[in-house]
Amino acid sequence: MPHPRPLHRSRSVAATLCTVVLAALAAGCAQGDPRQRSGIFSPYKIEVPQGNYVDMAMLRQVKEGMTREQVRFALGTPLLVDPFRPDRWDYVFRFQHPNGSADLRRATVFFAEGRVQKVTSDALPESDEGADPALPGYRRKQGRFR
């Protein structure tokens, strides 16, 4: 008959295993701002660009009196065309950074009788020079991307 294992040894192994499991579970319950967390238990977060990327150089191409087709050629198809206000095209761009913050930019083109009447916009980057973090294809100057 084999010699039984001492009871106190199996209890200490079980207690150690239980402590390790509880510590791992508690790491996921950290308090504070979830956007500031980092470490082995943090999920991978990506950059999320949505909408129409428009800069000032593109917007300057739109002049009073242009047709809808000319505006579509210069800026692309608008993200929003309100069926109740067909004489207004909204170009909206939203970029969500991995840390949870987001940039929101809008440009609106107003039409009268099928021609551009006026253009309004939020503060937009000057041009597509690659320095805008919300630019499609932007590469960080630090780290492994150059």
Side-chain angles (χ1 to χ4, degrees):
M1 181 169 198
H3 187 272
R5 209 186 257 194
L7 189 57
H8 69 289
R9 177 179 271 178
S10 63
R11 282 187 183 165
S12 74
V13 169
T16 303
L17 183 61
C18 185
T19 302
V20 169
V21 169
L22 286 175
L25 290 173
C29 298
Q31 291 184 356
D33 189 359
R35 294 176 293 184
Q36 302 299 325
R37 283 190 217 141
S38 63
I40 193 165
F41 295 109
S42 295
Y44 177 74
K45 295 182 181 180
I46 61 170
E47 299 167 339
V48 182
Q50 296 176 312
N52 303 95
Y53 183 84
V54 177
D55 58 37
M56 286 306 294
M58 294 168 67
L59 203 57
R60 274 192 219 104
Q61 294 176 11
V62 178
K63 306 286 185 203
E64 240 180 84
M66 289 176 76
T67 65
R68 293 175 190 268
E69 290 77 26
Q70 291 171 319
V71 173
R72 191 180 314 252
F73 182 77
L75 300 179
T77 302
L79 182 66
L80 298 172
V81 177
D82 188 347
F84 297 107
R85 289 189 271 170
D87 289 336
R88 173 184 171 148
W89 284 4
D90 291 299
Y91 292 86
V92 180
F93 180 75
R94 184 174 189 273
F95 187 84
Q96 183 157 348
H97 299 277
N99 67 359
S101 66
D103 293 328
L104 181 65
R105 302 173 186 165
R106 294 183 191 131
T108 305
V109 180
F110 295 92
F111 296 92
E113 298 177 11
R115 302 229 173 235
V116 174
Q117 180 184 26
K118 72 175 180 176
V119 178
T120 62
S121 73
D122 293 342
L124 300 174
E126 188 56 37
S127 66
D128 179 358
E129 59 191 32
D132 184 6
L135 183 69
Y138 168 79
R139 296 290 183 235
R140 287 179 183 73
K141 293 188 172 130
Q142 302 142 335
R144 63 179 209 192
F145 297 111
R146 292 201 185 232

